[in-house]
Amino acid sequence: MVHLSRIRELCEKNGVTVKQAASDLGMTEQSLHKIIKGNSTKIDTLIAISKYFKVEPAYFFDSGANEEMDYINVSKEKLFGLIKKVLAYSIHGFGMIKLEWDNQNKTFNSYFDVLNKQYNPDESDLEYISSLLETKINITDKTAPKDLTKLLMSKDEFEFTSSYYYGIRKMQTQEELHKIISFLDKHKIPVSDSIKQDMEDLKQQIRYYESKSIIGANK
């Protein structure tokens, strides 16, 4: 687990304020406070912070007492590939729930689940995403999320995640509709026009998700 609250500890240890550290790092005090509070930042930013305080990036992560702990050496290409995958899946509606290192194949196995809300990158995120792409493409806030994920994913990944995401959404909406119908039947509640409209809206959502959940349909 990452512990970016240790930035404050390092500030105190080095006799600098958070404001001064932020200024030296080329960011606003508010941005550094946001990183500490949100306990999240980009790889490049974490490396810059580590260099500033003259510590290894591992300083901000859990450390075990076992001196025989194995360390993983990952190429920049593989690391960037993993970052692109996490970003693409998040924009597409998935969040990482597990990350395992496969020692035999020397690669990461990642596991994702459906998010309640898809990740919507801001301007600085889009600039960072552009830097990860092999082919430099001008990405703006007008770039559709679908087009952005296509740049970060392979074609097979895009089609699979599209199908899976909309399939899950369809089941969730069907369950919501079923609960409403069951509740009305159980309590013998008359169906008003507003309830009818709510139910019709859910049915439309189901039809929409159903049309999108077919492999290859989201091209």
Side-chain angles (χ1 to χ4, degrees):
M1 181 178 178
V2 68
H3 300 280
L4 296 182
S5 60
R6 291 175 182 172
I7 293 173
R8 287 198 181 94
E9 297 172 8
L10 288 170
C11 284
E12 293 177 7
K13 184 178 178 181
N14 288 274
V16 296
T17 63
V18 173
K19 182 178 181 179
Q20 182 60 52
S23 177
D24 292 341
L25 287 163
M27 65 177 75
T28 64
E29 182 181 7
Q30 183 181 13
S31 296
L32 189 52
H33 276 300
K34 184 179 179 181
I35 288 172
I36 296 170
K37 185 177 179 181
N39 200 38
S40 176
T41 189
K42 297 169 184 173
I43 297 290
D44 291 350
T45 304
L46 181 62
I47 292 172
I49 292 171
S50 301
K51 285 182 178 178
Y52 175 74
F53 287 111
K54 295 181 174 61
V55 298
E56 292 296 324
Y59 176 87
F60 297 101
F61 294 84
D62 286 331
S63 59
N66 185 359
E67 293 182 357
E68 296 181 358
M69 180 186 293
D70 290 331
Y71 288 90
I72 299 171
N73 290 319
V74 184
S75 68
K76 184 177 180 181
E77 182 182 0
K78 285 187 176 180
L79 180 60
F80 275 25
L82 177 63
I83 294 170
K84 286 196 292 184
K85 185 175 182 179
V86 172
L87 287 168
Y89 274 51
S90 299
I91 295 169
H92 217 42
F94 297 87
M96 180 179 283
I97 58 171
K98 191 176 183 182
L99 180 67
E100 288 181 337
W101 174 252
D102 185 336
N103 198 46
Q104 182 176 352
N105 296 312
K106 303 299 179 184
T107 187
F108 282 110
N109 293 323
S110 50
Y111 304 88
F112 293 81
D113 200 1
V114 174
L115 296 170
N116 289 326
K117 184 178 180 182
Q118 290 168 278
Y119 164 60
N120 185 25
D122 59 23
E123 187 176 343
S124 61
D125 293 331
L126 292 174
E127 186 177 329
Y128 178 66
I129 290 171
S130 295
S131 71
L132 294 174
L133 300 174
E134 290 80 7
T135 304
K136 299 306 175 186
I137 299 173
N138 184 30
I139 298 174
T140 69
D141 56 2
K142 303 297 182 184
T143 305
K146 181 176 73 172
D147 294 330
L148 195 52
T149 54
K150 281 185 174 180
L151 294 172
L152 293 165
M153 286 179 168
S154 68
K155 182 176 181 293
D156 288 343
E157 283 178 324
F158 178 81
E159 291 185 342
F160 172 77
T161 52
S162 295
S163 178
Y164 182 65
Y165 176 79
Y166 288 114
I168 292 294
R169 283 292 186 229
K170 174 191 170 185
M171 288 189 290
Q172 290 174 336
T173 310
Q174 284 176 325
E175 184 179 355
E176 187 178 348
L177 178 61
H178 177 71
K179 285 180 179 178
I180 292 175
I181 294 172
S182 297
F183 181 81
L184 294 173
D185 289 344
K186 181 180 179 180
H187 299 282
K188 303 192 183 306
I189 298 173
V191 180
S192 64
D193 289 341
S194 61
I195 294 177
K196 281 183 181 178
Q197 185 59 53
D198 289 340
M199 292 170 66
E200 181 56 35
D201 289 343
L202 290 173
K203 289 176 182 177
Q204 286 182 8
Q205 286 183 41
I206 292 169
R207 288 192 290 268
Y208 171 77
Y209 292 143
E210 188 172 46
S211 70
K212 294 289 186 179
S213 67
I214 301 170
I215 294 288
N218 214 10
K219 295 179 180 178

